[in-house]
Amino acid sequence: PSLVLALSSLLGALALLQLSLYLRVPSRYGKHEERLCRPRGRLPARCAWFLQELPSFLVPALLLALRSPPRLEPLGCRLLCCLFCWHYFYRTFIYPFFTRGRPFPLQLLFFGTLFCIYNGFLQGYYLIYCAEYPNDWCTDIRFTSGLLLFLLGMGINIHSDLLLRQLRKPGEVTYKIPQGGLFTYVSGANYFGEIVEWFGFAIATWSLPAFAFAFFTLCCIGPRAYHHHRYYLKTFTDYPKSRKALIPFIF
Ligand code: NDX
């Protein structure tokens, strides 16, 4: 428990660091990268996203395989571990192979991979070695409402990433105005979905590591949604004025 507390607190501190670094200046990848044509020091997006996200899937999966005897009772605990791995299975083995994104900076890839090892270990270690849930956790209101939010968020995230992908033909690297789905209301629809998803996961697990990760996600991609929004307003004169940055009708 003290290891989990220490790692979760560090994750919370990293979230605040992230917020202070990237609130005014966006993290330099994708549409916010300054020197767009410099091929050195960058890796094709497919390869970069695969490598970066792989530890988030692999580390909990390895922890699970190495745990002897296997401890994933009750059912609630097993389901929660599967939810985490399910998201990262999608992010590692499906998302990268369809992306039409620009090459990704190696430096950020390095830090992103470290982050995914860290978080994959924290969430997996907690769920596999530390979490204690009553046998009827699956019927607890926290589990059911959290699971619903998780699924809703994941649906919005995947659908929004798909809409972004469809804006480009293969080989194209230009930016267009996203249309449809939740993009009708916000510029960062994919980010909104991801944030809802991880807060849903935090409620379903009712655990410090998951709340720390949801908070990190908010501090990481919340500011990015704001910078995307400003970019669109600056770049496209016909950008819909009623569209918000991250939260429909509010912000
Ligand atoms: N990866 C999470 N911090 C991050 C990578 C960067 O999964 O040192 C966090 C993740 C990492 C970060 C990660 C952790 C913190 C790091 C940071 C770098 C520095 C930072 C390590 C690990 C750090 C400290 C100091 C604290 C240690 O060309 P393109 O690529 O722009 O194309 C884009 C395209 N697109 C468009 N196409 C046409 N027209 C338009 N208008 C378009 N707009 C976009 O769509 C892409 O191909 C694609 C998506 O682009 P974008 O910019 O909307 O999303 P993106 O940021 O690339 O995220 C992709 C998905 C998305 O679903 C998002 O929710 C999820 O990944 N994500 C992303 C970041 C973090 C995260 C989830 C999480 O925290 N849960």
Side-chain angles (χ1 to χ4, degrees):
S2 53
L3 177 66
V4 168
L5 180 64
L7 293 181
S8 305
S9 310
L10 184 58
L11 188 53
L14 278 179
L16 293 176
L17 174 67
Q18 177 82 15
L19 196 62
S20 67
L21 286 177
Y22 296 118
L23 200 55
R24 292 179 60 191
V25 188
S27 46
R28 300 286 182 202
Y29 69 91
K31 57 172 75 70
H32 304 295
E33 201 182 353
E34 268 161 357
R35 278 164 282 175
L36 295 175
C37 301
R38 194 177 50 134
R40 280 178 64 207
R42 297 194 291 160
L43 212 61
R46 285 182 184 186
C47 196
W49 277 91
F50 172 76
L51 290 176
Q52 177 180 254
E53 305 292 323
L54 184 63
S56 291
F57 174 78
L58 217 53
V59 174
L62 275 177
L63 285 176
L64 197 57
L66 294 175
R67 177 76 158 108
S68 151
R71 178 196 166 272
L72 268 181
E73 294 300 334
L75 178 65
C77 188
R78 198 165 34 200
L79 278 176
L80 290 167
C81 203
C82 289
L83 287 187
F84 188 82
C85 289
W86 182 26
H87 171 93
Y88 280 104
F89 181 85
Y90 160 73
R91 186 65 78 219
T92 306
F93 297 105
I94 300 175
Y95 176 81
F97 296 99
F98 292 102
T99 182
R100 291 175 183 170
R102 298 176 179 205
F104 197 87
L106 275 176
Q107 199 188 357
L108 297 190
L109 170 64
F110 175 73
F111 288 116
T113 308
L114 282 187
F115 174 79
C116 289
I117 295 172
Y118 183 92
N119 190 48
F121 175 78
L122 174 59
Q123 306 301 330
Y125 179 79
Y126 174 78
L127 283 173
I128 295 160
Y129 285 88
C130 310
E132 304 261 345
Y133 292 103
N135 284 332
D136 59 353
W137 184 248
C138 285
T139 54
D140 190 287
I141 181 75
R142 286 166 290 183
F143 180 86
T144 48
S145 58
L147 178 64
L148 272 180
L149 274 182
F150 178 90
L151 294 175
L152 178 72
M154 191 171 186
I156 293 173
N157 178 258
I158 293 177
H159 180 236
S160 308
D161 277 340
L162 174 77
L163 292 175
L164 284 176
R165 196 157 54 240
Q166 286 172 344
L167 291 173
R168 286 178 178 164
K169 296 188 185 76
E172 235 183 5
V173 284
T174 51
Y175 291 104
K176 296 168 190 163
I177 300 179
Q179 306 284 0
L182 225 69
F183 282 111
T184 313
Y185 306 102
V186 288
S187 302
N190 51 342
Y191 296 147
F192 174 76
E194 180 107 18
I195 290 167
V196 169
E197 188 179 348
W198 291 118
F199 272 99
F201 183 72
I203 294 169
T205 55
W206 208 250
S207 71
L208 187 62
F211 273 106
F213 178 45
F215 180 58
F216 181 90
T217 299
L218 180 66
C219 294
C220 178
I221 55 183
R224 213 170 144 75
Y226 165 73
H227 289 296
H228 277 16
H229 188 63
R230 284 186 47 172
Y231 169 91
Y232 287 134
L233 287 173
K234 223 167 54 186
T235 311
F236 302 107
T237 47
D238 55 342
Y239 196 69
K241 295 285 175 286
S242 62
R243 206 177 280 190
K244 302 289 182 191
L246 181 65
I247 305 169
F249 310 113
I250 300 175
F251 169 73

